Amino acid sequence: MSVDSTTSPPATSPSPRQHIRLTSHAGGLGSLPIHWDAATPAERGPVVGTTTRRAHRNVIGTHSGSYSVYRALAVAAGALKREHRADLTNTSPTDVIGPYPQWSEPGKIVSMDPWGAVVSDVFAQELAAGYDIRPTIAVTKAHVILPEVIDALQKGRLKADGKFLTAGGAALVTKAAIEPVWWLPGVAKRFGCSETDLRRVLFEETGGMYPELVTRSDLEVFLPPIGGQTVYIFGNPRDLANPEVELTARVHDECNGSDVFGSDICTCRPYLTHAIEECIQGAQRGGVGLISYARKEGRALGEVTKFLVYNARKRQLGGDTADQYFARTECVAGVQDMRFQELMPDVLHWLGIRKIHRLVSMSNMKYDAITGSGIEVGDRVNIPDDLIPADARVEIDAKMAAGYFTPGKVPGADELKATRGRGLGE
Ligand SMILES: [Zn+2]
């Protein structure tokens, strides 16, 4: 017979560790207000997503994006003390980014905290007063070495200068990792829905993971459990904000299969490395280069969906053809794409960008989002034909027919039927 706890209370009361605090009743006493578009950090207020002092929290969710779940695991496993506070000694950015006017222009940045890299400086008082304020952005230096860049050096397309590119093929970059910080009223506006609807759907579609979305309308900032983004800057980061300096830029969405493992069914890695080559050349011309890399694997559908689509494409009657490319994705995922570039330009505004002279992208969705957010775009740079893997012809032809930029001919219906990829067994 099972024990009914309502009639048979346990002999001992639960320990404090078993007691779950309802987030809907979490104090607010001692928490600092956030005024999102405020001009100064003092008026804006810090983002406090710590779980150590719950009364200090002024956001929904917690830090580190999707890795917040691993942090919870580490606490559960006894490997991490839940009261651990980061020692931020010597972690400050290697390069100063901003502040730029866009940081406080209403609605310009809604999906990241522009002050996220400099919390130790601008919120020093609050930190000293005991608030656990964590950086959501980190800026550092790196050398990036890619076989495609070494190949370009050997073929003479790139020249080493010891400043932007070493003789060994290492490109010198400044890179910044950025975690998502969503100001919900602004995010809702970008997507043309009401904040109430956005909150309710976020609550429901995450399986009720964040009750505060629906119970705490006073909390307007959400740290979503999703991947963030990384920017790689070739040249002086300050030059990004100067429209007089030639800017070569690519906004790239993650594709692990191609980017890392060299899968040849899409153009992701060839386009990325081509963009890096363009960025190095741009920096050497006296300009600056930028790669923004967003963790939106497989059009933000995830790799499982992506691989299911590959199979569906290759097993369909007639084989993998460009005319069925989007249809197969939609069959499995319900949509063609979930990347929704609406939030993408935020990072460009954080960097102070007003003009992109050379946009290394053929995507009309990215172009429309960037120009729609008030950034001027000069030339659009397509991927050279000889960099397109044979099996990726299906993807690129389908995309060009759907509106992707191409300086060449847009394939017609007959050509889309004729563009065919490899079979699964080949
Ligand atoms: Zn890809």
Side-chain angles (χ1 to χ4, degrees), residues 146-383:
L146 292 153
E148 287 87 344
V149 169
I150 293 171
D151 186 56
L153 262 175
Q154 286 166 350
K155 292 197 168 122
R157 295 199 309 273
L158 283 173
K159 299 253 184 295
D161 57 12
K163 187 179 177 195
F164 302 109
L165 183 63
T166 70
L172 279 61
V173 298
T174 305
K175 60 179 183 178
I178 301 155
E179 285 173 10
V181 179
W182 287 7
W183 181 56
L184 291 169
V187 172
K189 204 170 171 192
R190 290 276 176 93
F191 289 94
C193 62
S194 76
E195 188 192 339
T196 310
D197 284 349
L198 175 68
R199 283 170 173 269
R200 196 193 66 241
V201 176
L202 282 171
F203 171 70
E204 288 170 351
E205 296 300 318
T206 54
M209 198 168 181
Y210 300 100
E212 292 148 304
L213 285 165
V214 286
T215 60
R216 292 289 305 274
S217 58
D218 58 311
L219 296 177
E220 294 189 326
V221 175
F222 177 41
L223 307 182
I226 59 172
Q229 57 192 322
T230 315
V231 294
Y232 285 81
I233 301 161
F234 303 76
N236 187 347
R238 299 293 300 184
D239 286 342
L240 291 165
N242 182 352
E244 302 303 314
V245 176
E246 183 196 85
L247 168 56
T248 302
R250 172 166 178 77
V251 282
H252 187 93
D253 294 321
E254 176 176 33
C255 171
N256 188 267
S258 169
D259 292 345
V260 179
F261 288 95
S263 164
D264 69 345
I265 197 170
C266 56
T267 56
C268 300
R269 180 176 173 106
Y271 216 157
L272 177 63
T273 56
H274 175 60
I276 290 170
E277 188 176 324
E278 290 277 347
C279 284
I280 295 168
Q281 285 170 346
Q284 291 180 329
R285 281 196 298 269
V288 58
L290 171 74
I291 305 284
S292 171
Y293 191 93
R295 299 281 154 19
K296 292 182 189 168
E297 176 61 54
R299 293 191 217 146
L301 304 170
E303 260 197 332
V304 169
T305 298
K306 184 157 104 169
F307 292 3
L308 294 174
V309 171
Y310 289 159
N311 283 347
R313 278 170 55 186
K314 292 188 179 289
R315 284 186 180 135
Q316 69 190 321
L317 202 63
D320 184 18
T321 54
D323 67 326
Q324 293 298 313
Y325 173 79
F326 286 111
R328 289 284 75 78
T329 307
E330 208 167 338
C331 276
V332 179
V335 292
Q336 294 179 359
D337 198 316
M338 281 192 201
R339 284 176 293 177
F340 300 112
Q341 301 294 346
E342 281 82 350
L343 302 176
M344 174 268 286
D346 286 19
V347 69
L348 307 176
H349 294 298
W350 174 63
L351 294 163
I353 292 170
R354 300 269 180 203
K355 179 174 182 179
I356 296 173
H357 302 70
R358 291 169 61 72
L359 177 66
V360 189
S361 170
M362 292 159 76
S363 165
N364 49 330
M365 288 167 280
K366 291 175 184 168
Y367 175 85
D368 291 346
I370 292 169
T371 54
S373 80
I375 293 171
E376 189 188 335
V377 171
D379 296 333
R380 297 166 77 178
V381 183
N382 62 306
I383 184 169

Side-chain angles (χ1 to χ4, degrees), residues 384-402:
D385 256 3
D386 60 342
L387 290 183
I388 300 171
D391 200 39
R393 199 72 240 180
V394 169
E395 179 210 80
I396 202 81
D397 281 5
K399 285 180 169 178
M400 288 192 298

Side-chain angles (χ1 to χ4, degrees), residues 111-155:
S111 63
M112 59 182 289
D113 175 6
W115 303 101
V118 289
V119 296
S120 300
D121 281 343
V122 300
F123 300 119
Q125 263 186 326
E126 291 85 348
L127 277 161
Y131 288 87
D132 181 11
I133 305 164
R134 304 191 183 186
T136 54
I137 301 174
V139 185
T140 189
K141 296 281 194 195
H143 285 196
V144 293
I145 304 170
L146 292 153
E148 287 87 344
V149 169
I150 293 171
D151 186 56
L153 262 175
Q154 286 166 350
K155 292 197 168 122

